[in-house]
Amino acid sequence: MTSLQAPALGRPLSFPHPHQETSTTQDGRTPRPISTSQFASMPLRDESGSVRDASTEDNHSLANTFGTIDLHRNRNSKIEPIADAQGTVSPSFPSQGGISQTQSDQSQPPYQNGSTRQPLLNTTTDRSTASEAPIPKTHNHSDPINSEREDSSSSTTMHNRTSSSSSPPDQSDLHDPSKKRLNQAGILVGSASGAGIAARHLLANRHDQVGKEGGRPPRGYEQVEISDKWGIASRNIKEARWKAVKKGAVLYGFITIWLWICLSIFWGSTYRLTSFLPSLTVHVIPFDTPSSTSFLNGPITQQMTYVANEPSSVVHLGYEIKDPSNYPNGLEDVRRSIVAQECWAAIVVNANASSAWTDALQDGNASYDPTGAIGIYYSGARFYQVVLLYFDSLITRDLANPLATARSQALEAFMGSAGTNPTLLTNAARVPQAIGVGFGYTIFDVRPIQNGAWAGAAPMEASLIYFIIFAFYLCLFGGIARMKSGLNSRLKMSSMLGLRLGWPLLAYFFISLWQTLVVRAWQVPLTDHLGRAGFVTLWALNYVTIIAAGFAMETMLALIGIAWLPFFLVLWIIPSSFYPIELMPNFYRFLRWMPFVHNVEAYKIIAYGTDLQHRLGLHFGVIFAVIGVELIFFPLALLFERWKSDRDQRKQVEQKKKEEEDEGKAKEKKRDGNGEA
């Protein structure tokens, strides 16, 4: 005989009664309702073949639903009728893994349900055999007699009854089925028919448990309400529109004010730029000897003294006459004064300039060079936007008159001598440049930017702007990450301080390295003045500079928050792109303490040697001083941020509590009003 395999059951299935029923108490007086949320128990079998008690399991298992799979797998097997001792034929249900009758009798009470059920037969069962087998009917819980009998003994006979307890049906054709067969029938019926009821009940329970541990509504169970859409002029959004207009107006007004402040600071640095050119000192050094017979010393010193005393409305440089005795080593000391930034430029009347011209005419020396009479010295890399733009033109203009005066005086003296010595005119004809030009000048750029090194001009201009922007991004996204992760409110102050200091220091270390590598990749000369130490020195300079720039933004982030941080960025960028401080009003003297100014000056020393090497210590020292000030104010800013955050949280809790109290009062008032009505 082929028998159906026992369904592979996991956790027991418990399912509610499909409708609420009542049972009569033993005294027969009051009907007792049976809640539909109660689950009927039935014996279940797991894969090992042991009987499991459904009442000991939780109410959320749908394992019996999968028990119907084995029924479909055995559609070709048949349920054969078995005749009992009295000759009555009853259906033979499949065995359950060899479980004994004793085990079955000691299991759960028979299957209970308020609705009439019958065992599930295989669809391929022989029709003639199935028709001969009477189908037992389940108890009707509305019958008090059966209910008492069923509760008193686990071996109660299952009879065919109608829904009415007053007229029990005739059961003469049926004998009591065994307990084992009742259990088997309960498993099959529960697996196939009870799954739907249990599933619906579980879905309802889960809907009630939303927001509780373990509860989740099924996908698509809840409907999401989408607010209605309105036009911009609709009355339905009048309040929201007015709030948006007010906030936009306030923000626009602040942007307007901030624009006027920031742009005024920047344009104010270049306003009347040329009127501050006299602050750019130019030393005039008359080395021509002897002074009594010099054709150049007198006119040049007189002209430069006159120009230096002109009002600021006249564009000119700040000329200063220097005693040649201050330069005992001659031109070497002049060059050193330019490199040491004692002056922006120097005009040197070379020694023996007048006598060299006279000797060339008298001797007929054709190799005479008029441009050797005067030398102009400056450092183009010091600030090429100013030096190359103004110095050449202004110095050339201011030298034109004294050179013409010196030439005329020299020719006059020569012609006086030639009147008594005609051979001088013959010799002078061999030196036409001495007659036509007389005296000229030569420009010497002691620290130039070579043609192949102009890529180094970028770090002196826009590079610092990018530095500040990179530091801003690190600060901004770091703040956003702490907000989203909840670290702002969950970290202790010491941990927060360590995080806010440690992460930027690590990030800035590599950002400064990348920036230095970019400078080196474009062949900026870093070894001409410091040798191999040039690259490392520039890396260190960039590192401390971005620390100074970044810590300032970290401090402002703690003080004003993420929303207002971009406004500080605009103000912070302005000092990175100024002209020399000497060309600005006294208001801009604060720039001497800005890290950007000292970064540019130190970079020029490393790349072009525009200043003495030991001045690097000065520029590094100022940047470290700025970092020290920031480290003092940064913890204070964090304390303020934590205090403000805690205050806002307390306000939110109080506001929520107040809203709940108002809502409770409104409900009480409404309830009182309904009671009075």
Side-chain angles (χ1 to χ4, degrees):
M1 178 186 304
T2 303
S3 61
L4 293 172
Q5 297 179 357
L9 301 177
R11 300 169 66 187
L13 172 66
S14 299
F15 53 90
H17 295 289
H19 55 81
Q20 185 170 349
E21 302 167 355
T22 58
S23 62
T24 310
T25 57
Q26 293 183 359
D27 56 5
R29 290 179 298 176
T30 306
R32 182 167 53 119
I34 300 176
S35 174
T36 59
S37 63
Q38 300 297 326
F39 296 94
S41 303
M42 68 178 186
L44 303 177
R45 300 178 187 275
D46 56 16
E47 295 178 355
S48 63
S50 60
V51 179
R52 301 174 61 184
D53 190 354
S55 62
T56 62
E57 301 289 345
D58 56 43
N59 297 334
H60 300 284
S61 175
L62 292 177
N64 283 334
T65 305
F66 306 103
T68 59
I69 298 175
D70 289 336
L71 295 178
H72 293 289
R73 291 178 179 175
N74 296 277
R75 288 183 176 179
N76 295 329
S77 61
K78 298 182 179 181
I79 300 177
E80 300 180 1
I82 300 175
D84 57 13
Q86 297 179 4
T88 305
V89 179
S90 61
S92 176
F93 293 93
S95 61
Q96 300 295 326
I99 298 177
S100 63
Q101 181 68 27
T102 304
Q103 290 175 328
S104 178
D105 293 341
Q106 293 176 357
S107 61
Q108 304 287 353
Y111 174 81
Q112 300 177 6
N113 196 359
S115 62
T116 302
R117 301 179 184 273
Q118 60 184 11
L120 182 64
L121 298 178
N122 195 293
T123 56
T124 61
T125 304
D126 185 68
R127 295 180 180 275
S128 60
T129 305
S131 62
E132 295 175 359
I135 302 175
K137 297 183 179 180
T138 59
H139 286 286
N140 191 323
H141 288 281
S142 61
D143 191 344
I145 300 176
N146 293 333
S147 181
E148 293 177 4
R149 292 176 60 190
E150 188 175 73
D151 294 338
S152 63
S153 175
S154 63
S155 61
T156 304
T157 303
M158 190 177 197
H159 297 286
N160 290 330
R161 298 175 183 237
T162 61
S163 59
S164 174
S165 61
S166 60
S167 58
D170 185 10
Q171 303 175 9
S172 60
D173 294 337
L174 294 175
H175 291 278
D176 293 342
S178 65
K179 190 68 175 180
K180 178 180 179 180
R181 292 178 179 176
L182 289 175
N183 292 339
Q184 293 172 348
I187 291 174
L188 294 176
V189 174
S191 298
S193 304
I197 301 174
R200 287 193 297 272
H201 184 78
L202 289 178
L203 290 178
N205 278 354
R206 288 190 177 187
H207 176 65
D208 296 336
Q209 293 176 358
V210 173
K212 301 178 181 178
E213 184 176 0
R216 180 185 68 83
R219 185 173 297 174
Y221 188 82
E222 293 184 351
Q223 294 182 354
V224 179
E225 295 184 0
I226 301 177
S227 58
D228 296 332
K229 306 298 186 296
W230 309 96
I232 189 63
S234 176
R235 296 182 178 179
N236 297 300
I237 59 171
K238 180 179 179 180
E239 183 177 356
R241 183 174 60 245
W242 176 240
K243 289 182 179 179
V245 169
K246 288 194 298 183
K247 289 184 178 181
V250 171
L251 180 61
Y252 188 79
F254 181 81
I255 291 176
T256 301
I257 296 174
W258 199 244
L259 180 146
W260 276 93
I261 293 174
C262 295
L263 295 186
S264 296
I265 294 174
F266 179 73
W267 263 275
S269 64
T270 58
Y271 177 69
R272 298 181 61 190
L273 176 67
T274 56
S275 63
F276 290 95
L277 285 176
S279 62
L280 304 182
T281 58
V282 178
H283 291 173
V284 179
I285 309 167
F287 278 134
D288 191 11
T289 55
S291 300
S292 57
T293 60
S294 174
F295 301 114
L296 295 172
N297 287 350
I300 289 178
T301 56
Q302 292 177 5
Q303 176 68 19
M304 296 310 173
T305 302
Y306 173 78
V307 172
N309 293 327
E310 287 185 329
S312 59
S313 58
V314 179
V315 178
H316 65 279
L317 297 173
Y319 298 106
E320 295 180 3
I321 310 299
K322 293 293 183 181
D323 189 348
S325 62
N326 295 332
Y327 305 89
N329 296 322
L331 296 179
E332 184 65 25
D333 288 343
V334 173
R335 290 175 179 270
R336 183 185 176 280
S337 66
I338 298 296
V339 173
Q341 297 186 3
E342 296 177 1
C343 60
W344 281 83
I347 300 175
V348 177
V349 180
N350 291 323
N352 303 318
S354 298
S355 61
W357 179 83
T358 303
D359 294 342
L361 289 178
Q362 291 179 354
D363 300 337
N365 185 5
S367 63
Y368 173 74
D369 184 8
T371 60
I374 298 173
I376 301 173
Y377 298 85
Y378 58 67
S379 174
R382 180 178 178 180
F383 217 111
Y384 70 90
Q385 299 95 326
V386 174
V387 173
L388 301 183
L389 179 63
Y390 292 104
F391 278 71
D392 284 349
S393 59
L394 291 179
I395 292 177
T396 301
R397 183 202 67 179
D398 295 336
L399 283 177
N401 286 335
L403 286 177
T405 302
R407 186 181 304 114
S408 62
Q409 292 178 356
L411 284 176
E412 183 180 356
F414 174 76
M415 293 304 294
S417 301
T420 59
N421 189 0
T423 59
L424 293 179
L425 295 177
T426 304
N427 294 332
R430 301 190 186 103
V431 191
Q433 64 271 26
I435 301 297
V437 178
F439 304 102
Y441 59 86
T442 301
I443 297 176
F444 299 93
D445 192 346
V446 298
R447 290 294 185 267
I449 299 178
Q450 302 296 341
N451 291 334
W454 274 100
M460 293 187 291
E461 292 182 349
S463 178
L464 289 175
I465 296 177
Y466 293 109
F467 247 34
I468 298 173
I469 293 175
F470 293 148
F472 168 76
Y473 281 140
L474 290 173
C475 177
L476 177 65
F477 291 114
I480 294 175
R482 289 189 297 270
M483 289 179 59
K484 290 186 175 181
S485 61
L487 291 179
N488 274 346
S489 58
R490 301 179 66 179
L491 285 181
K492 298 188 299 182
M493 181 56 63
S494 59
S495 299
M496 177 62 73
L497 181 61
L499 177 63
R500 297 283 290 271
L501 290 177
W503 155 244
L505 288 176
L506 178 62
Y508 298 157
F509 182 82
F510 292 101
I511 291 293
S512 59
L513 174 60
W514 309 149
Q515 198 271 351
T516 309
L517 288 173
V518 170
V519 172
R520 190 67 188 93
W522 291 98
Q523 303 300 315
V524 176
L526 300 179
T527 59
D528 292 350
H529 301 278
L530 298 183
R532 294 183 178 180
F535 179 84
V536 179
T537 305
L538 181 59
W539 182 8
L541 175 66
N542 291 333
Y543 184 45
V544 296
T545 303
I546 196 172
I547 289 175
F551 279 0
M553 280 185 285
E554 291 285 350
T555 303
M556 296 306 298
L557 174 63
L559 290 176
I560 62 179
I562 291 179
W564 298 96
L565 184 61
F567 290 99
F568 175 74
L569 173 66
V570 176
L571 182 64
W572 198 223
I573 286 177
I574 292 178
S576 65
S577 56
F578 276 137
Y579 274 92
I581 299 177
E582 294 85 349
L583 295 180
M584 290 181 281
N586 293 333
F587 169 78
Y588 295 91
R589 295 296 184 265
F590 72 90
L591 293 176
R592 298 186 185 275
W593 291 99
M594 298 300 291
F596 316 114
V597 173
H598 293 276
N599 174 273
V600 172
E601 295 299 323
Y603 168 77
K604 293 175 182 177
I605 296 175
I606 297 171
Y608 303 107
T610 56
D611 202 346
L612 301 178
Q613 294 182 5
H614 68 271
R615 296 283 181 88
L616 282 172
L618 172 64
H619 299 302
F620 271 94
V622 172
I623 296 175
F624 277 118
V626 174
I627 294 175
V629 173
E630 292 171 347
L631 290 177
I632 294 175
F633 285 96
F634 183 57
L636 300 178
L638 286 185
L639 290 174
F640 173 78
E641 181 185 42
R642 179 59 57 88
W643 170 80
K644 184 178 179 182
S645 176
D646 294 343
R647 184 195 63 179
D648 293 341
Q649 290 182 1
R650 287 193 297 268
K651 286 184 177 180
Q652 291 178 1
V653 172
E654 293 176 356
Q655 182 68 21
K656 185 176 180 180
K657 184 177 179 181
K658 184 178 179 180
E659 291 178 356
E660 292 177 353
E661 292 178 354
D662 294 342
E663 184 178 357
K665 291 180 180 179
K667 289 182 178 180
E668 292 179 359
K669 186 176 181 181
K670 184 177 181 180
R671 190 182 304 111
D672 295 341
N674 293 336
E676 293 177 359

